[in-house]
Amino acid sequence: MNYWKEDFLSYKLHVISTKKFKTTSIKIVFSAPVVKEEITFKNFLADMLTYSCKKYNTEKKMSIALQDLYAMNIFPRCYRVGKLYNMEIGASFLNERYTDEGILNDAIKLLSEVIFNPNIENNEFNTTAFDFVKLNTRNQINSIWENTRKLSLIRMLEYMDNTKAFSYHGFGYLEDLEEITPTNLYEYYKKVISSSKIDIFILGDVSADEVKKMIKENFKFKTYKMKKNDLITSHDKIRKIPKKIIEQARISQSKLSIGCKIEDMDDFERNYVLPMYSMILGGGSSSKLFKEVREKNSLCYYISSSASKLDNILFITSGINFENFDKTIKLIKKEVKNMTLGKFNEEDLDVAKTQYITMLDEIEDSPFQIMSSYYSVEMLNYDELDIRKEKTKKVTLQDVSKLASKIHIDTIYLLKGAE
Amino acid sequence: MKEIVLNNLDQSVFVENLDNGLKVILIPMKNKGNYYANYTSKYGSINLNFKCNGKTYKSPKGIAHFLEHKMFEQPDGGDVFDYYSKTGTECNAGTSYKKTSYYIYGINNLKENLDYLITLVNSPYFTDENVEKEKGIIVQELKMYADDPDWILSETLKKATYKNHPIKYDIGGYEDTVNSITKDDLYKCYNEFYKPSNMVLVVSGNFDLYEILDVIKNNEALNSRKDKSEIIEVKEKEPLEILKQYQEILNPSVTVPKININFKISIKDCKDKNLYMLYISALLSILFGNVSSFNEDMFKKGYASYVDCNRMLLDDLLIIEFYAEGEKPKELLNEIIKRFKDEKITEEELNRFKKVSISSNVINSDKSQNIAECILSDYLNFNTIYEDRIGIIKSMNFEEFKKIRNELNVDNNATVFMKKEE
């Protein structure tokens, strides 16, 4: 696999040449500091841009154009990364070997239509498309109420500290949705196009030269250079006694979410020790939480922990019966305490390392994961894949114990179901 | 071992039928670091009643799923997940209506991991104690689903659609049926449906063909399974009639009203079900997919903002299911029926569908898990591994398409409408 990168000032182009896949994949990332009130705007915009464009100005015409390119797929994705909120336009299509000649050029041209020629009339987005996407965005925001597991997690983070980026979620907010109009969304589009940090990734059986030429011909970005932003959230205070909240919902299974705040870490702790800690504590069926709460005590079907590196947070989620709330909390607290007491061994750490390194190995079999890993190097200062595998192996039991003493249960939230 | 060269996909499939009846399908792939192995029994939630020692045995609902959970139990107390974690290999299982699958997915140690999987699935170990313990976990799992409005919607629609067919029951069963399961029930069902002759093993990705075939053939637990007797299921006939044509239900969690519709269609005289289903897929894509303007039309009329559809074969029935978010179920139903009957379809549209379908096949052939599941699905549904799926797609013709469309009877349907409970 060959990796080539060039900075064109208003955007960076990354080309990964490989014959490994039967498809060519593209990822265009627009990155900017997260602003809570803009999350809904950005989600909406991403959906609008990929729904239809000026050249193919209905969903039907757009779908036909994509199908004609052998079922090319264009999809939007918006997500938070630390203190950034990204809008991503992804695309994938078959290699020329299985299609007609010139598909790479056609695909890039179509993408440029999507990005640079949106469905605009009289300085506002086409109102039919706008209304359709607005309704779907509303439904998407409301779907949070049907995903009680996710809802519990979001509520917990809001109670933990609603001034921090980690309490913002990507579903979107109804109050912000009501503010969006076809006109101000067009203004927002112009702002995003001209002021985001833009990275373009292409992966497939392509040469850097041919791609560079096609991108330069079709993508005319005029972006101001964005200054490098701080991504990491630090905590103002860590509660000595965890805050406990119970809220009622009309569900049968209660959803528990526990948030732990982590004191400031150095890069090695954040990128290498923290994932090991989380895997040992609650990273799957060999973990302490799974064994104790599910296997030994039959208190739940799912329980896991997850670390959010850039937010300095670790959270634990589980689905339980309300009557087992106190017992479950007690067991979880005990396991977290056991981590600080070093009650895990070399075998636990080896299993965690093997799992993590296998996860890194698996990246090589997925075009989009490969592109994401290069993005992480570019944007998040991650090490390259090979170095990540090496450094993971170097984590010691002592490293994990030391980190454990920096992790404190801060907020306990229960979305309470039937008794 | 037989080699089947998949036309136009740069890929071969190797098939071997073992003496004990197990079907082995091996798909070695170039350019892959990972592997995927899937060990499936043709035993799902709908296989409830069968002849056992001359009598009809009616198994408790949800037992196939319970059995899946218990397969991971080992006499020495060893933990399956622990074993696979050591090499960073993912292991999981799933029960659906027609099958139970155990699969592993990873990068290292395929030989040992596959051997372990085969031994696991061929060594049942059920005790009164370990059966009792599992009940708590499974009941929690059922409760997790029971909070999901989509699950409730689907269950209600199934009950309105099917009189006798066991597909109407939840795959996991119900709290009372799960609590009634004993170890004897589990052994009975295991012995019947987990015979090697009722199972198939697929391996795809990065591996050496003959090395892996050896591992499979030399597995002791598998070799000890000798029973090849016929499975005699006892099935009740399913009438064509729908039970309840329309109903409304309320749910506290739902925010957007939901509509679920089933069309129940007889395809008794259909000779080539695989090809027929391709034509049906084409019809649904052209009439209701993104290339139609159906979604936008329904939105403009205020009937629904999101519509999705699917199709399923169930013995001699074709079931077409619609799911929509919207407020006008009866109007939506009328529009759907109108499209089925009156909407103009063109040869150009069929040709576009063929292009898309061919692309899907190529894209799926690029991923270990996807290609294994496609081949497995063909084998389970049609008892065939198609060497020229792309050729079959290309052979679809407009005359046949129109004929199938004209003969499709959509008058037999059931609707469930779910609104928010205030």
Side-chain angles (χ1 to χ4, degrees):
Chain A
M1 226 178 296
N2 283 325
Y3 174 64
W4 174 92
K5 174 175 91 168
E6 191 170 330
D7 189 349
F8 292 104
L9 295 181
S10 49
Y11 62 94
K12 267 199 184 127
L13 179 60
H14 312 253
V15 181
I16 302 133
S17 306
T18 173
K19 291 191 194 296
K20 250 182 108 162
F21 303 103
K22 290 174 173 164
T23 52
T24 305
S25 309
I26 298 181
K27 195 163 136 110
I28 302 164
V29 191
F30 300 83
S31 194
V34 66
V35 176
K36 188 174 181 184
E37 295 70 32
E38 287 181 17
I39 287 174
T40 316
F41 269 84
K42 211 164 231 175
N43 294 349
F44 199 121
L45 178 63
D47 286 345
M48 278 301 290
L49 291 178
T50 51
Y51 179 78
S52 62
C53 57
K54 190 111 186 122
K55 190 168 179 191
Y56 306 108
N57 60 1
T58 61
E59 186 190 16
K60 179 173 177 164
K61 288 181 191 170
M62 187 73 177
S63 299
I64 290 175
L66 290 167
Q67 286 201 354
D68 278 337
L69 291 180
Y70 284 83
M72 174 177 181
N73 192 16
I74 294 182
F75 49 94
R77 191 168 85 96
C78 292
Y79 54 94
R80 183 180 64 85
V81 177
K83 287 189 191 168
L84 299 175
Y85 198 71
N86 289 358
M87 177 176 86
E88 204 176 276
I89 312 265
S92 101
F93 47 96
L94 280 184
N95 290 350
E96 207 159 283
R97 174 179 166 63
Y98 301 100
T99 65
D100 306 319
E101 214 181 305
I103 192 169
L104 177 62
N105 202 13
D106 291 337
I108 288 177
K109 274 193 155 49
L110 179 49
L111 273 171
S112 86
E113 292 292 335
V114 163
I115 292 170
F116 296 100
N117 286 326
N119 199 353
I120 302 289
E121 289 155 16
N122 301 322
N123 279 321
E124 62 173 22
F125 274 101
N126 168 285
T127 48
T128 309
F130 179 89
D131 288 338
F132 188 85
V133 172
K134 180 168 183 174
L135 184 59
N136 277 307
T137 306
R138 179 176 289 121
N139 291 344
Q140 164 70 359
I141 294 172
N142 282 327
S143 74
I144 201 180
W145 301 102
E146 295 173 24
N147 187 342
T148 46
R149 180 176 177 176
K150 199 97 199 244
L151 180 62
S152 166
L153 180 61
I154 288 170
R155 297 294 282 152
M156 183 276 287
L157 291 170
E158 285 173 348
Y159 278 107
M160 202 181 209
D161 190 342
N162 67 0
T163 66
K164 302 286 187 196
F166 59 70
S167 71
Y168 308 159
H169 62 79
F171 279 88
Y173 302 89
L174 280 178
E175 56 270 27
D176 296 321
L177 180 65
E178 294 317 315
E179 302 298 310
I180 304 177
T181 68
T183 311
N184 67 19
L185 188 63
Y186 180 45
E187 291 304 313
Y188 186 66
Y189 158 77
K190 287 191 275 188
K191 176 177 161 188
V192 168
I193 292 290
S194 61
S195 67
S196 302
K197 181 182 187 314
I198 300 174
D199 286 272
I200 302 174
F201 295 84
I202 299 192
L203 185 152
D205 191 8
V206 297
S207 77
D209 284 334
E210 69 176 327
V211 167
K212 180 171 152 183
K213 188 162 172 286
M214 285 180 208
I215 294 284
K216 279 184 112 174
E217 263 169 29
N218 289 284
F219 284 25
K220 311 280 187 198
F221 285 114
K222 295 188 195 97
T223 321
Y224 308 117
K225 199 146 171 92
M226 193 178 89
K227 69 172 166 64
K228 204 107 202 220
N229 279 285
D230 184 28
L231 294 160
I232 297 168
T233 299
S234 279
H235 301 293
D236 303 325
K237 71 164 186 189
I238 297 177
R239 297 182 170 96
K240 286 207 169 63
I241 298 173
K243 182 169 170 175
K244 205 187 226 179
I245 306 111
I246 300 177
E247 287 182 336
Q248 187 76 49
R250 290 169 76 172
I251 48 179
S252 66
Q253 184 188 62
S254 299
K255 312 289 196 263
L256 173 66
S257 298
I258 296 177
C260 305
K261 285 182 180 165
I262 310 176
E263 297 168 37
D264 288 334
M265 300 178 273
D266 63 37
D267 282 342
F268 183 73
E269 280 180 309
R270 175 188 321 284
N271 291 314
Y272 299 102
V273 186
L274 181 58
M276 294 304 105
Y277 174 96
S278 183
M279 283 204 142
I280 293 171
L281 177 64
S285 39
S286 321
S287 69
K288 302 292 177 198
L289 287 175
F290 192 91
K291 288 218 161 86
E292 191 65 25
V293 184
R294 174 172 147 155
E295 294 300 296
K296 213 157 120 188
N297 287 281
S298 297
L299 292 175
C300 64
Y301 173 67
Y302 73 88
I303 180 164
S304 62
S305 72
S306 186
S308 196
K309 296 178 195 160
L310 301 171
D311 299 329
N312 278 344
I313 284 198
L314 179 114
F315 54 84
I316 298 163
T317 57
S318 181
I320 57 171
N321 272 349
F322 179 67
E323 73 241 21
N324 295 320
F325 178 47
D326 289 328
K327 187 171 181 194
T328 308
I329 296 292
K330 220 165 150 189
L331 287 173
I332 292 174
K333 280 183 173 170
K334 188 182 81 163
E335 290 309 319
V336 172
K337 180 100 200 264
N338 281 346
M339 293 299 287
T340 65
L341 298 173
K343 287 193 176 168
F344 50 89
N345 55 30
E346 204 67 58
E347 196 187 330
D348 293 324
L349 182 56
D350 280 341
V351 166
K353 285 179 181 177
T354 307
Q355 284 178 325
Y356 197 72
I357 291 172
T358 301
M359 196 188 77
L360 296 179
D361 282 334
E362 279 168 6
I363 287 174
E364 323 234 357
D365 277 324
S366 157
F368 280 89
Q369 283 194 61
I370 294 171
M371 293 190 289
S372 287
S373 78
Y374 280 106
Y375 179 74
S376 301
V377 172
E378 167 73 24
M379 217 34 193
L380 312 180
N381 281 327
Y382 273 29
D383 294 316
E384 297 199 10
L385 263 181
D386 289 333
I387 298 177
R388 287 176 76 185
K389 294 177 200 177
E390 284 315 304
K391 284 190 178 176
T392 300
K393 291 179 192 165
K394 293 204 165 80
V395 175
T396 65
L397 290 172
Q398 219 179 350
D399 289 330
V400 179
S401 290
K402 185 161 160 251
L403 179 64
S405 62
K406 287 187 177 182
I407 299 177
H408 310 279
I409 295 179
D410 182 276
T411 307
I412 298 171
Y413 177 90
L414 187 76
L415 189 63
K416 180 182 164 196
E419 298 212 22
Chain B
M1 193 157 55
K2 182 174 159 213
E3 177 177 5
I4 301 174
V5 179
L6 299 180
N7 219 0
N8 284 324
L9 290 177
D10 295 313
Q11 183 67 52
S12 279
V13 173
F14 297 86
V15 183
E16 171 110 348
N17 297 314
L18 300 189
D19 289 335
N20 57 24
L22 178 68
K23 189 158 201 94
V24 175
I25 301 172
L26 302 175
I27 313 170
M29 298 169 80
K30 292 186 289 232
N31 290 328
K32 293 276 165 279
N34 60 36
Y35 61 77
Y36 174 78
N38 181 316
Y39 199 178
T40 289
S41 167
K42 299 180 204 174
Y43 174 50
S45 66
I46 65 174
N47 308 103
L48 282 175
N49 306 333
F50 55 95
K51 287 266 189 241
C52 189
N53 297 326
K55 289 189 278 207
T56 298
Y57 169 72
K58 293 191 166 173
S59 54
K61 300 177 185 74
I63 192 166
H65 172 248
F66 202 113
L67 193 48
E68 175 227 304
H69 269 240
K70 285 333 289 175
M71 282 323 299
F72 288 81
E73 199 78 46
Q74 294 185 289
D76 62 358
D79 193 296
V80 175
F81 299 116
D82 259 354
Y83 176 84
Y84 282 117
S85 305
K86 287 184 173 53
T87 53
T89 305
E90 189 188 317
C91 169
N92 215 330
T95 310
S96 50
Y97 294 129
K98 301 180 189 175
K99 66 184 192 314
T100 306
S101 298
Y102 302 84
Y103 56 88
I104 54 175
Y105 177 79
I107 294 196
N108 313 305
N109 299 74
L110 173 58
K111 277 164 54 178
E112 297 83 348
N113 288 347
L114 181 62
D115 192 49
Y116 189 91
L117 179 68
I118 298 170
T119 304
L120 184 74
V121 177
N122 285 288
S123 313
Y125 176 67
F126 317 129
T127 66
D128 293 322
E129 196 203 334
N130 72 31
V131 167
E132 205 52 40
K133 194 200 78 156
E134 200 68 38
K135 291 177 182 176
I137 296 173
I138 291 185
V139 168
Q140 279 314 308
E141 188 185 348
L142 296 181
K143 287 188 168 172
M144 185 177 85
Y145 297 131
D147 284 333
D148 180 8
D150 285 334
W151 182 89
I152 297 169
L153 184 64
S154 170
E155 286 294 294
T156 312
L157 181 62
K158 283 195 290 175
K159 290 207 167 67
T161 308
Y162 306 103
K163 177 159 191 260
N164 300 321
H165 203 292
I167 198 174
K168 66 178 174 166
Y169 303 121
D170 182 47
I171 292 171
Y174 304 90
E175 192 167 351
D176 58 331
T177 65
V178 166
N179 283 328
S180 76
I181 292 173
T182 67
K183 76 169 194 276
D184 293 322
D185 292 320
L186 292 175
Y187 275 115
K188 244 193 189 107
C189 292
Y190 174 86
N191 289 332
E192 195 65 27
F193 291 104
Y194 275 70
K195 292 171 188 150
S197 50
N198 197 42
M199 300 190 66
V200 53
L201 176 60
V202 186
V203 185
S204 63
N206 179 25
F207 64 92
D208 180 288
L209 191 60
Y210 289 98
E211 253 181 35
I212 291 307
L213 186 62
D214 270 349
V215 166
I216 298 167
K217 282 181 158 172
N218 292 332
N219 182 284
E220 269 180 43
L222 177 59
N223 284 332
S224 73
R225 309 288 308 287
K226 307 284 186 201
D227 187 359
K228 280 167 88 165
S229 59
E230 200 190 341
I231 297 170
I232 304 171
E233 278 189 78
V234 178
K235 297 184 187 181
E236 273 184 86
K237 261 192 92 68
E238 174 65 21
L240 187 55
E241 293 76 46
I242 294 279
L243 273 70
K244 213 167 182 185
Q245 204 171 29
Y246 180 82
Q247 59 190 299
E248 289 187 9
I249 54 177
L250 301 173
N251 183 280
S253 306
V254 84
T255 41
V256 185
K258 297 172 192 272
I259 304 166
N260 211 189
I261 302 171
N262 264 347
F263 290 89
K264 196 174 180 186
I265 300 161
S266 168
I267 53 165
K268 237 180 5 214
D269 303 318
C270 178
K271 300 246 173 7
D272 185 342
K273 287 183 175 161
N274 178 42
L275 187 53
Y276 181 80
M277 288 304 264
L278 262 177
Y279 280 112
I280 293 296
S281 294
L283 188 64
L284 294 180
S285 170
I286 290 167
L287 292 180
F288 304 105
N290 289 339
V291 287
S292 70
S293 47
F294 190 70
N295 253 307
E296 221 172 278
D297 289 345
M298 290 307 100
F299 174 68
K300 281 187 189 150
K301 288 186 164 154
Y303 297 163
S305 61
Y306 170 83
V307 186
D308 196 16
C309 64
N310 219 329
R311 81 277 182 283
M312 177 179 70
L313 266 179
L314 197 65
D315 302 328
D316 284 329
L317 291 172
L318 164 66
I319 308 292
I320 299 179
E321 183 186 348
F322 282 79
Y323 171 86
E325 285 169 4
E327 308 201 311
K328 303 276 186 216
K330 292 181 173 162
E331 290 83 341
L332 178 66
L333 176 66
N334 283 335
E335 290 290 333
I336 292 172
I337 293 175
K338 221 165 62 171
R339 288 253 165 161
F340 269 124
K341 293 188 171 170
D342 303 331
E343 187 80 4
K344 181 166 185 281
I345 54 176
T346 67
E347 187 160 8
E348 192 190 345
E349 287 172 314
L350 179 63
N351 288 338
R352 197 175 290 124
F353 171 80
K354 285 160 77 168
K355 223 181 194 179
V356 168
S357 200
I358 290 169
S359 293
S360 295
N361 272 279
V362 177
I363 291 168
N364 277 333
S365 75
D366 210 14
K367 296 196 174 128
S368 324
Q369 184 166 352
N370 292 18
I371 192 174
E373 286 177 353
C374 277
I375 302 272
L376 182 60
S377 175
D378 277 347
Y379 173 68
L380 293 174
N381 284 323
F382 310 111
N383 221 21
T384 313
I385 294 171
Y386 295 100
E387 63 182 346
D388 195 9
R389 275 173 132 235
I390 289 179
I392 293 172
I393 293 165
K394 286 184 177 169
S395 79
M396 292 169 80
N397 69 73
F398 194 53
E399 288 314 306
E400 183 66 20
F401 186 42
K402 280 193 292 190
K403 180 162 173 278
I404 285 175
R405 188 271 179 97
N406 291 336
E407 289 173 1
L408 197 66
N409 183 342
V410 292
D411 294 328
N412 199 31
N413 52 71
T415 301
V416 179
F417 180 44
M418 177 186 265
K419 291 195 292 195
K420 182 167 177 62
E421 183 173 351
E422 299 303 334

